[in-house]
Amino acid sequence: MFAINHASAALLFKKKYSSISIIWFLISVQLIEYFWVFFNYLKLELTTTEKTVTYIGDIHLAHMPFSHSLLTTVILSLVSYISIKFILKDLKLALIISLAIASHFFLDLLVHAQDLPLWYFTSYPMFGTNLYPNLPYVAFFIELIFGLFCWWYYRGSKGLLIIIVLFNLFNFTTFSPDIVGLEKYFANAPTLLVSVILGQILITSFFVWYYSKKPNLGIQKV
């Protein structure tokens, strides 16, 4: 799932625990992706592309057992839960932060190619619905609808709605084999790709943080 919709997921957790800054949820929902960026820079994980990149199916997350495996998700969630529960003595916060961390794997599972590993020790089994390579337009609408649901559930502002829609539309050419956009520059340039994704994480997190603070101008409860 793209950065804007992972960032939007933070709104779900913020709604359940309004007293804590959304920054902590924004970090939590993207924690796995931060590890992915770090491990790619260190060449411990591998991202490859086809010779020509026209859409997301031409980008391959070829090796990412340390960041995106189910085992890593479980470990990070458990460590966070235990740490917050026993250090901060806040059971509710411990549960919500651990769920926010775990959300990244399960949201990716909805749309990814089969590139999400079980653990570090073998290449298989690999998980994913294969929507990205096989049904990219379906994947796009799933992501957009999820982002809109997060905004609706949070009862966000119009500004927040605009940000979620605009960033999803900005990514549209990456989902479209028929409309080639800036993704063409990712061909044989994995470091550039990883850096752009890091930039998207930081930028979308900032905008979701900023507009989540604005007065509620969205759909009101009846």
Side-chain angles (χ1 to χ4, degrees):
M1 192 161 281
F2 276 52
I4 182 58
N5 298 309
H6 281 301
S8 297
L11 299 169
L12 304 178
F13 300 102
K14 171 65 175 176
K15 184 74 172 181
K16 288 295 184 181
Y17 205 110
S18 58
S19 62
I20 189 172
S21 171
I22 194 174
I23 292 173
W24 296 108
F25 297 121
L26 288 166
I27 293 171
S28 298
V29 297
Q30 290 284 30
L31 184 61
I32 286 172
E33 204 81 340
Y34 283 119
F35 277 113
W36 176 80
V37 169
F38 179 69
F39 290 141
N40 268 269
Y41 282 148
L42 292 181
K43 308 301 183 184
L44 295 174
E45 295 192 341
L46 178 64
T47 302
T48 64
T49 72
E50 300 294 330
K51 292 181 180 179
T52 301
V53 174
T54 60
Y55 82 119
I56 194 169
D58 296 325
I59 298 169
H60 309 296
L61 306 178
H63 182 69
M64 51 180 188
F66 306 113
S67 64
H68 277 72
S69 69
L70 180 58
L71 179 59
T72 294
T73 299
V74 171
I75 290 173
L76 288 175
S77 297
L78 282 176
V79 168
S80 299
Y81 177 84
I82 293 170
S83 300
I84 295 170
K85 179 180 177 182
F86 288 100
I87 295 174
L88 299 181
K89 310 294 184 182
D90 192 328
L91 179 61
K92 181 181 178 183
L93 180 61
L95 179 60
I96 289 178
I97 290 293
S98 64
L99 289 175
I101 292 171
S103 73
H104 192 101
F105 178 90
F106 292 102
L107 289 175
D108 281 353
L109 188 65
L110 290 176
V111 289
H112 264 231
Q114 289 185 335
D115 51 23
L116 301 170
L118 176 62
W119 52 15
Y120 318 129
F121 309 111
T122 59
S123 299
Y124 295 94
M126 303 287 275
F127 302 104
T129 60
N130 270 329
L131 290 183
Y132 275 168
N134 296 333
L135 294 169
Y137 292 115
V138 174
F140 172 79
F141 283 108
I142 287 175
E143 295 210 14
L144 175 60
I145 290 168
F146 176 76
L148 293 176
F149 170 77
C150 293
W151 169 82
W152 171 83
Y153 182 82
Y154 184 70
R155 299 296 190 261
S157 67
K158 289 181 180 178
L160 183 59
L161 173 63
I162 291 169
I163 287 300
I164 291 171
V165 171
L166 283 181
F167 273 103
N168 272 283
L169 291 177
F170 177 79
N171 293 324
F172 180 74
T173 62
T174 309
F175 288 88
S176 172
D178 307 305
I179 306 173
V180 180
L182 296 177
E183 62 276 359
K184 64 183 179 182
Y185 296 109
F186 297 149
N188 299 313
T191 302
L192 174 62
L193 170 62
V194 171
S195 299
V196 168
I197 290 175
L198 175 60
Q200 281 202 353
I201 293 169
L202 297 174
I203 292 169
T204 56
S205 294
F206 169 78
F207 278 110
V208 170
W209 165 76
Y210 182 79
Y211 283 100
S212 69
K213 301 185 300 176
K214 295 302 179 181
N216 182 344
L217 299 175
I219 299 173
Q220 304 295 320
K221 290 183 179 179
V222 178

